[in-house]
Amino acid sequence: MSQDSTTVPETSRKLSGRRRREIVAVLLFSGGPIFESSIPLSVFGIDRQDAGVPRYRLLVCAGEDVPLRTTGGLELTAPYGLEALSRAGTVVVPAWRSITQPPPAAALDALRRAHEEGARIVGLCTGAFVLAAAGLLDGRPATTHWMYAPTLAKRYPSVHVDPRELFVDDGDVLTSAGTAAGIDLCLHIVRTDHGADAAGALARRLVVPPRRSGGQERYLDRSLPEEIGADPLAEVVAWALEHLHEQFDVEALAARAYMSRRTFDRRFRSLTGSAPLQWLITQRVLQAQRLLETSDYSVDEVAGRCGFRSPVALRGHFRRQLGSSPAAYRAAYRARRPQGGPAERPDRPDRLERADRPDRAEVIEPRTGDHALPLRRPGAPGGPTGHSGHPPHHHHAPHPEPGKPESDTYAPRLPEQAAGRAPGRPTLPGQRERPVG
């Protein structure tokens, strides 16, 4: 279940007699990021009954017998060890220090035992890797930071990784995306336990929206698993990213990989965590974002240069992924830029997009909670940099394709019979595909 669901799944196990619903144990490891670690401590560890928030009892537990040093070199002392997990009705793993390292066996055993005894298990950001290592995500939907979602899907193929969601509630096991999404999930837990009024009161005290709409789609970038460099599909993926303006579909990619469509789909999902068609649509939308930010091409021209078969297709996929029309996205992006705006195209300096004219700009009203989540991609002004920390490549001006027509007549026609789930949304492993409308 995602953050937009209105019903909460039933937990599958009854809580054992020695555990208490109001007790929340937070499991800390050395090397964990301090931001994610502090979220459950702040939400569940402070008495805010004066504001109408029911009180939880917090147990901060060390997940290993070593000094607990956070990012930045701070050293923490946890008052409890793994034995304290036996009293908790909820166990939270804020984050794991490295997605390449296995968690301590003793901590994994304690998490399995807590789950068997009915405790609710929560993984924030890379904490999902700890839950997956314990086998608690097998056969379940889950999420994590979009940058690590492909790695989680490849390393644990039985986990249905959904990189779109801010958090996923599967009843007795819950996971969230990166950093601030941990706040969203903790507020969701309070809402589940004590109702919307309590969660709203807590959100006011934290000065955050009580419920954010949308998901991680607006942050998804071209990032792929670190292991892709050694995979035979790496060359095909690289070719696709360099030729998004050309007419090709998933069948063409499978042919380039010398694979059948079925084998290609299976291999591609194991590598990236999403269906190839939906990955391709997402990359075309990302390319549209870059052109809208760095050029004065019209929306119709952007559609053709990103491989969409028509401007209507671009607008539909763009709105589904980003909650905004292309023209409104450009207007909002430029309103946030410093004086001077984006670089103009040297070949058409006098051209102005309709949305750039104050008297003709399309106005979009923010959805509930979107005022706290501006349309900003990783690498955009004011947003995070890429995983490597280098300046993002998509701020460079686009390179016109010599010999390509300006119209969208050459844009690919993605076959409806090969389409995935709803357009712009990656298909979870094991789900049947539906035509793109």
Side-chain angles (χ1 to χ4, degrees):
M1 186 193 79
S2 72
Q3 73 272 17
D4 296 323
S5 299
T6 57
T7 60
V8 178
E10 294 291 335
T11 55
S12 58
R13 295 175 178 85
K14 183 178 180 181
L15 196 64
S16 68
R18 60 179 175 174
R19 297 181 180 274
R20 296 290 179 268
R21 289 285 179 197
E22 69 276 7
I23 297 180
V24 177
V26 178
L27 192 58
L28 299 181
F29 298 96
S30 184
I34 193 169
F35 187 95
E36 284 85 348
S37 301
S38 68
I39 290 172
L41 304 184
S42 178
V43 171
F44 302 111
I46 299 177
D47 185 355
R48 296 187 177 92
Q49 295 182 85
D50 60 324
V53 181
R55 184 176 183 179
Y56 290 89
R57 182 182 174 191
L58 181 69
L59 304 178
V60 182
C61 307
E64 52 192 340
D65 295 328
V66 295
L68 302 180
R69 293 188 176 91
T70 71
T71 50
L74 296 178
E75 187 167 317
L76 305 177
T77 301
Y80 301 97
L82 290 173
E83 70 282 350
L85 267 61
S86 62
R87 293 182 277 161
T90 299
V91 179
V92 182
V93 183
W96 175 236
R97 59 174 167 262
S98 173
I99 63 173
T100 62
Q101 295 182 17
L108 298 181
D109 290 340
L111 287 171
R112 295 186 194 102
R113 186 162 51 252
H115 182 250
E116 290 170 359
E117 295 178 355
R120 177 172 50 189
I121 311 297
V122 181
L124 308 183
C125 192
T126 53
F129 282 81
V130 180
L131 273 58
L136 302 182
L137 298 181
D138 290 351
R140 292 176 178 266
T143 193
T144 188
H145 193 293
W146 61 265
M147 190 165 59
Y148 304 122
T151 302
L152 182 65
K154 182 176 182 180
R155 188 170 302 162
Y156 302 99
S158 62
V159 181
H160 303 307
V161 180
D162 189 344
R164 305 163 302 172
E165 304 293 355
L166 292 176
F167 63 82
V168 173
D169 180 345
D170 197 43
D172 52 357
V173 177
L174 303 87
T175 51
S176 78
T179 314
I183 301 176
D184 297 306
L185 179 51
C186 288
L187 284 174
H188 170 76
I189 291 172
V190 174
R191 186 181 303 111
T192 300
D193 291 348
H194 302 291
D197 289 344
L202 177 57
R204 288 192 294 274
R205 288 292 289 267
L206 297 176
V207 197
V208 296
R211 188 195 297 265
R212 288 194 293 170
S213 60
Q216 295 191 84
E217 292 102 326
R218 65 195 69 195
Y219 299 113
L220 292 173
D221 206 347
R222 298 165 85 133
S223 300
L224 289 168
E226 297 175 0
E227 301 93 332
I228 189 175
D231 193 281
L233 289 185
E235 183 178 346
V236 175
V237 171
W239 182 90
L241 292 174
E242 294 299 322
H243 296 78
L244 290 174
H245 57 281
E246 295 185 6
Q247 183 174 357
F248 67 89
D249 55 18
V250 178
E251 295 286 352
L253 295 180
R256 291 188 68 87
Y258 301 101
M259 297 179 185
S260 67
R261 174 61 189 273
R262 177 177 296 181
T263 300
F264 181 79
D265 282 2
R266 184 176 64 253
R267 290 285 304 280
F268 194 94
R269 289 192 187 191
S270 69
L271 182 69
T272 69
S274 68
L277 177 61
Q278 301 312 320
W279 177 86
L280 181 59
I281 292 174
T282 298
Q283 299 311 314
R284 295 194 189 284
V285 170
L286 286 169
Q287 180 69 0
Q289 286 181 268
R290 297 181 185 105
L291 291 181
L292 290 168
E293 293 172 3
T294 60
S295 77
D296 286 324
Y297 290 126
S298 70
V299 173
D300 287 13
E301 289 175 308
V302 168
R305 291 175 180 272
C306 295
F308 288 104
R309 62 180 180 269
S310 70
V312 173
L314 166 63
R315 292 185 177 95
H317 291 304
F318 200 95
R319 184 174 291 278
R320 273 185 285 270
Q321 290 200 29
L322 299 173
S324 169
S325 70
Y329 176 88
R330 169 177 275 170
Y333 176 83
R334 293 188 174 181
R336 293 194 304 271
R337 288 182 61 86
Q339 286 294 102
E344 293 181 341
R345 279 169 46 194
D347 58 329
R348 303 177 67 179
D350 57 338
R351 172 141 190 145
L352 287 177
E353 171 65 15
R354 179 175 63 86
D356 298 332
R357 303 174 183 174
D359 59 329
R360 300 178 66 183
E362 179 180 353
V363 179
I364 181 170
E365 293 295 333
R367 297 176 298 166
T368 303
D370 276 358
H371 61 279
L373 188 63
L375 293 175
R376 179 180 297 153
R377 294 184 292 104
T385 61
H387 181 52
S388 64
H390 298 300
H393 60 273
H394 49 255
H395 283 170
H396 298 295
H399 299 287
E401 298 298 325
K404 296 298 179 186
E406 292 287 333
S407 72
D408 64 340
T409 56
Y410 70 93
R413 300 186 61 84
L414 298 178
E416 286 77 10
Q417 68 273 19
R421 294 177 61 227
R425 297 178 68 84
T427 302
L428 295 179
Q431 289 186 332
R432 292 184 299 177
E433 298 180 338
R434 297 202 304 265
V436 174

